Amino acid sequence: MEKLKLFDRQFFGELVDTTIDYNSYNEGDEEGRNVDSIPEDAGNAEIFSLIDQFHFNNQEHPFHEICNSIYSNIQENESLQEFNDLIFKLKEEVSKDEKNTVKIFSKYLVTLVVQSICIIGSRSLSVIEGGALEICGDKLRKVIGLSVIDKETNEEVLLENDQFEVLTGDEEKLNQRQSWVIEAVLRLWVNESRIGYLILEKMKNKGFISSIQLVKSLYIDEENILPITNVYAFELLERLINDGDDKSVLRTSITKIIDNINIFTEKIDTGDDESQLILTPSDESEVNQETELKWGFNSLLSLLKFQIKNYLNDLNEINALEIFNNIEHQATREYIKDSFNDYLNDCKK
């Protein structure tokens, strides 16, 4: 829960400690929900308590009124110019806040708009894809930093007193905005990250976020590396790698696996001898930090071998051997290189 608090403090300051009950959240756990109290025709917003986690409408939040107006603008599909004018008012209010509640305004705005769209389209995935993302797409593009093109004239939409910068060409800033989109969705869907990732995949399909940013998010939590702990994440990873001819997605996945392998080997007591492989624990009943680390390490190793075997023909294009050299543990590095060469030799037979 501490990670949730740290995330929310960026936008809501002391509200995190005074009015938000983090103990009521059931991260990925349905057992804590009172199923009998959920109406039969309830949508995802009710089932997964999305409204309770949409803190922009908290009455104690100093900007809740203007945030509610922005939410209504998005929900009612009001004009982009009106949306722009509301953002101007929000900026003014935030700039006058002596408590400096909002730490990064652009991130605050991305989170507000993304989570608003998620709630508006939360009835079902078809609603979020065919309705919310279509209707609200231009507003989402603006806060991400993308230009909006008029569908009739095929020209860029110009706004009076435009409050949004266009980041096309600034890859670093654009990647950062996309990572904020991902964070915003997963924060709202903390009780069911599987649905969060389904929504993110639909956002990716519509060009709001990139496959690479989505892949990176799967590996970001070293305590819960999703492709080795959740089937849905593994299947998503496979879809992203196989989607199109861009091999950079595969390269990103392998690079992130190796980054995490290095983190695990630093934590595992391997002694001074790097020539010995880190094996799975011999006693499966023993549970402690060391055995958990070894299981995690070997799961990562298995995932890496799976990707090497399945995408063998693509590995030369992404300079796989060069990437494997980034494995810091000697025995692991040699083991992976040997596995790669063995697979290559098998293909030649």
Side-chain angles (χ1 to χ4, degrees):
M1 290 303 173
E2 191 58 34
K3 290 180 180 178
L4 299 186
K5 291 181 181 180
L6 289 173
F7 180 83
D8 291 345
R9 281 195 182 101
Q10 302 171 87
F11 315 126
F12 309 110
E14 62 188 25
L15 279 185
V16 169
D17 300 312
T18 58
T19 69
I20 300 174
D21 180 14
Y22 288 92
N23 293 323
S24 66
Y25 296 165
N26 306 299
E27 292 183 279
D29 179 9
E30 297 186 8
E31 293 181 4
R33 300 184 199 131
N34 183 0
V35 178
D36 294 335
S37 67
I38 300 174
E40 290 185 6
D41 63 344
N44 288 320
E46 294 90 350
I47 295 172
F48 297 104
S49 306
L50 297 191
I51 302 299
D52 294 338
Q53 296 172 72
F54 184 68
H55 303 313
F56 295 96
N57 64 356
N58 188 312
Q59 294 294 312
E60 300 298 322
H61 183 45
F63 316 120
H64 78 272
E65 289 187 5
I66 184 67
C67 286
N68 186 60
S69 296
I70 292 170
Y71 178 93
S72 297
N73 172 279
I74 297 170
Q75 185 178 42
E76 301 301 325
N77 193 24
E78 295 171 358
S79 75
L80 191 59
Q81 182 63 57
E82 291 173 302
F83 176 74
N84 180 79
D85 296 343
L86 287 170
I87 301 307
F88 175 73
K89 291 179 181 178
L90 176 60
K91 277 185 179 179
E92 282 194 320
E93 289 193 20
V94 169
S95 67
K96 295 174 183 176
D97 178 28
E98 295 181 356
K99 292 184 178 180
N100 192 30
T101 304
V102 176
K103 304 307 178 189
I104 305 174
F105 180 79
S106 52
K107 187 173 185 179
Y108 176 88
L109 184 57
V110 167
T111 305
L112 167 62
V113 172
V114 168
Q115 291 190 350
S116 296
I117 292 172
C118 283
I119 291 175
I120 291 166
S122 63
R123 170 64 57 175
S124 70
L125 289 174
S126 60
V127 172
I128 191 92
E129 181 176 32
L133 288 178
E134 284 293 330
I135 294 171
C136 314
D138 288 348
K139 292 163 186 175
L140 180 54
R141 290 181 66 84
K142 292 297 279 185
V143 299
I144 291 174
L146 301 172
S147 58
V148 173
I149 305 300
D150 188 289
K151 293 180 177 63
E152 294 182 0
T153 65
N154 205 32
E155 295 180 356
E156 183 177 350
V157 175
L158 301 178
L159 300 174
E160 184 179 338
N161 190 26
D162 196 333
Q163 296 300 302
F164 306 97
E165 56 181 337
V166 177
L167 299 177
T168 306
D170 192 335
E171 186 175 355
E172 183 177 352
K173 281 190 176 181
L174 197 55
N175 287 342
Q176 185 179 58
R177 294 283 177 95
Q178 291 181 9
S179 71
W180 292 346
V181 171
I182 294 169
E183 282 185 87
V185 172
L186 295 179
R187 171 63 189 91
L188 191 66
W189 285 97
V190 66
N191 286 337
E192 188 55 86
S193 58
R194 176 183 61 85
I195 296 179
Y197 271 106
L198 287 172
I199 292 170
L200 287 168
E201 187 175 12
K202 294 182 183 303
M203 287 184 169
K204 187 273 299 182
N205 292 340
K206 290 187 175 294
F208 296 115
I209 57 177
S210 70
S211 294
I212 288 178
Q213 292 302 313
L214 200 47
V215 168
K216 286 181 177 179
S217 74
L218 294 171
Y219 293 102
I220 201 166
D221 185 357
E222 64 187 65
E223 295 179 2
N224 182 26
I225 301 170
L226 293 176
I228 66 174
T229 59
N230 290 274
V231 173
Y232 76 81
F234 175 80
E235 292 175 344
L236 170 60
L237 179 60
E238 286 294 283
R239 290 196 297 274
L240 293 172
I241 292 174
N242 288 301
D243 182 23
D245 298 323
D246 187 1
K247 302 300 184 293
S248 60
V249 178
L250 174 61
R251 182 185 180 91
T252 298
S253 179
I254 289 178
T255 299
K256 299 309 290 184
I257 292 172
I258 289 174
D259 287 345
N260 279 287
I261 282 176
N262 289 337
I263 290 171
F264 273 66
T265 52
E266 283 183 10
K267 294 181 177 180
I268 295 171
D269 182 13
T270 58
D272 297 327
D273 187 2
E274 284 204 356
S275 65
Q276 297 297 314
L277 274 174
I278 300 171
L279 303 175
T280 54
S282 55
D283 184 359
E284 295 187 11
S285 64
E286 186 178 358
V287 179
N288 55 47
Q289 185 179 19
E290 186 75 6
T291 58
E292 290 293 320
L293 287 170
K294 287 182 178 179
W295 279 116
F297 171 85
N298 279 278
S299 295
L300 282 167
L301 211 57
S302 296
L303 179 60
L304 181 55
K305 285 186 65 179
F306 172 84
Q307 292 192 354
I308 291 172
K309 186 175 182 179
N310 273 37
Y311 304 106
L312 193 61
N313 293 332
D314 300 323
L315 293 181
N316 286 327
E317 293 185 36
I318 63 171
N319 298 318
L321 284 174
E322 177 186 320
I323 303 174
F324 298 154
N325 281 330
N326 293 324
I327 299 174
E328 295 171 358
H329 187 253
Q330 177 188 336
T332 304
R333 182 172 62 251
E334 292 175 356
Y335 173 71
I336 288 300
K337 284 186 171 183
D338 288 344
S339 298
F340 175 56
N341 289 324
D342 288 344
Y343 290 140
L344 281 178
N345 291 331
D346 287 342
C347 287
K348 294 176 182 178
K349 292 179 182 178

